[in-house]
Amino acid sequence: MGIFNKFSFIFLVIFLALSANAEVQRHRFVIQATKVKRLCKTHNIITVNGMFPGPTLEIKNGDTLEVQVVNKARYTTLIYRHGVRQMRTGWAYGPDFVTRCPIRPGGSYTYRFTVQGQEGTLWWHAHSSWLRATVYGALESFSVTNTNDYDDQSEMEATRTGAAPNVSDAYTINAQSGDLYKCSSKETTIVPIDSGEMNLLRVINAALNQPLFFKVANHKLTVVGADASYTKPFTTSVLMLGPDQTTDVLIQGDQPPSRHYMAARAYQRAQNAPFDNTTTTAILEYKFASCAAKKCNGPTPIMPSLPAYNDTNTVTAFSQSFRSREKAEVPTDIDESLFFTIGLGLNNCPPNL
């Protein structure tokens, strides 16, 4: 799946040096209906370029992106770059009816913006109704693991009732539900790792509105970044990501060659609120433990012990572990006045959007 890339501080130094050579990157996103088979049924979902998840945009700090979005779906939509600081390009931000009118079916729009002063994991997704359940992808320098929920009726029901989306059919890791769901084990995402090697894993919670725990059996995770910002490293056995959050972690192949589940499931503390309490899995597979595709007789993967769905103590401990990589000097003397401007969009969008 190309989820991991080797990570070293030498590579980081090279990356930072290259970031001075900013480029203009051009991409074309075609939003369209695509048939996918999941959970024993064929679903008609909305995708970008027929891909689920959508294309990964690999950039350098300082690069400018030009993204032409062509809407061939039956819904109006916009594309939102989550976490990108829009410096003097607020119209490229993304929420429909906030920064601009949505793109009508059959229409197109070209976004142009620069990613400046941010390094790490970002992502993009649709920002109209619940289309981001399937219209999303990574915006970063490396490949990425996505965790998301999937429900082919979400858009229809939410539009009809104005309510929250349905409880999802399943969670997925890189668009695959994993061994614990029906008709899914043959397509379970396999993440290869070599004994002794250190890898960088980028985790995005692309779920609609569900916080998620994430854990890898018998492995520690060293958090080194979150939401495109470096953090003071700390080691943990479990991650908790809210919707839209990203976390960069180092994982080392320090176990005997075998197969280990990477698992995610919901954190839910609201009482009497329905939610999907199933578990999605991928497999961290040591390369010496590989087996022939579709005829695998390898060992059963080891399952991690995930926190209870309402384990707020674990969530609090994880959240309070984040620290700035360097001490932030906050000025105490105010010697400058700031002038803020607020713009109002007074032009009405076309009817029937």
Side-chain angles (χ1 to χ4, degrees):
M1 296 296 294
I3 299 170
F4 284 88
N5 282 286
K6 291 184 179 179
F7 179 94
S8 71
F9 287 103
I10 295 176
F11 183 83
L12 178 62
V13 171
I14 295 174
F15 172 75
L16 291 176
L18 291 176
S19 66
N21 300 319
E23 301 175 351
V24 177
Q25 296 194 26
R26 294 176 175 86
H27 302 271
R28 190 171 189 263
F29 281 9
V30 178
I31 300 176
Q32 62 192 62
T34 303
K35 293 185 183 298
V36 299
K37 189 171 183 179
R38 296 291 188 279
L39 306 180
C40 311
K41 297 188 297 184
T42 298
H43 304 267
N44 200 38
I45 67 173
I46 306 301
T47 66
V48 167
N49 298 351
M51 301 168 62
F52 177 48
T56 293
L57 303 183
E58 299 181 350
I59 62 173
K60 301 188 301 293
N61 181 16
D63 279 0
T64 295
L65 281 170
E66 286 188 4
V67 183
Q68 182 193 31
V69 179
V70 180
N71 188 3
K72 293 187 177 182
R74 58 175 175 153
Y75 306 104
T76 61
T77 190
L78 287 178
I79 298 296
Y80 171 61
R81 269 72 40 193
H82 197 97
V84 175
R85 299 168 189 157
Q86 296 289 352
M87 304 297 186
R88 298 180 298 280
T89 51
W91 52 87
Y93 190 54
D96 55 353
F97 298 109
V98 176
T99 55
R100 69 175 311 277
C101 301
I103 305 169
R104 286 183 167 190
S108 67
Y109 180 75
T110 299
Y111 296 91
R112 182 183 174 93
F113 59 93
T114 299
V115 178
Q116 190 73 46
Q118 293 181 276
E119 295 167 6
T121 304
L122 299 162
W123 67 301
W124 57 264
H125 58 77
H127 211 300
S128 297
S129 297
W130 303 110
L131 284 179
R132 73 182 180 91
T134 56
V135 179
Y136 69 89
L139 171 57
E140 32 80 16
S141 311
F142 304 97
S143 298
V144 60
T145 295
N146 294 322
T147 302
N148 75 289
D149 53 6
Y150 168 72
D151 176 11
D152 66 321
Q153 296 297 316
S154 287
E155 173 70 21
M156 191 178 303
E157 287 298 310
T159 300
R160 182 178 65 83
T161 65
N166 295 341
V167 173
S168 62
D169 299 324
Y171 299 111
T172 69
I173 296 179
N174 275 21
Q176 300 297 335
S177 300
D179 292 351
L180 305 185
Y181 297 94
K182 59 184 179 181
C183 304
S184 300
S185 59
K186 289 184 179 180
E187 306 299 330
T188 297
T189 298
I190 303 295
V191 180
I193 188 171
D194 270 331
S195 294
E197 87 177 2
M198 180 79 76
N199 289 284
L200 176 64
L201 171 63
R202 300 179 182 267
V203 186
I204 299 173
N205 182 355
L208 282 177
N209 56 1
Q210 185 64 63
L212 293 166
F213 291 113
F214 178 85
K215 194 170 183 179
V216 183
N218 292 347
H219 288 76
K220 295 289 187 180
L221 303 172
T222 301
V223 176
V224 295
D227 298 326
S229 297
Y230 294 115
T231 65
K232 185 176 181 180
F234 68 92
T235 301
T236 179
S237 62
V238 62
L239 308 180
M240 198 293 295
L241 290 86
D244 299 333
Q245 290 183 332
T246 73
T247 303
D248 300 339
V249 299
L250 300 179
I251 183 170
Q252 183 156 10
D254 57 3
Q255 297 297 307
S258 187
R259 307 170 83 224
H260 303 260
Y261 275 128
M262 313 167 74
R265 77 175 180 200
Y267 164 60
Q268 177 76 358
R269 65 177 183 177
Q271 295 183 359
N272 302 319
F275 70 101
D276 181 356
N277 199 22
T278 61
T279 301
T280 181
T281 57
I283 298 174
L284 181 72
E285 182 177 85
Y286 282 77
K287 293 180 182 178
F288 292 112
S290 298
C291 47
K294 298 184 179 180
K295 295 182 180 180
C296 185
N297 295 316
T300 301
I302 302 166
M303 176 63 76
S305 177
L306 286 160
Y309 73 89
N310 59 352
D311 189 348
T312 299
N313 289 336
T314 293
V315 174
T316 301
F318 174 73
S319 300
Q320 292 181 345
S321 297
F322 283 89
R323 296 287 186 275
S324 173
R325 190 173 57 167
E326 299 175 353
K327 183 179 179 180
E329 298 292 340
V330 179
T332 57
D333 296 327
I334 308 300
D335 57 4
E336 186 171 336
S337 298
L338 299 179
F339 179 70
F340 294 92
T341 62
I342 300 176
L344 296 177
L346 301 179
N347 295 326
N348 293 328
C349 290
N352 302 321
L353 281 181

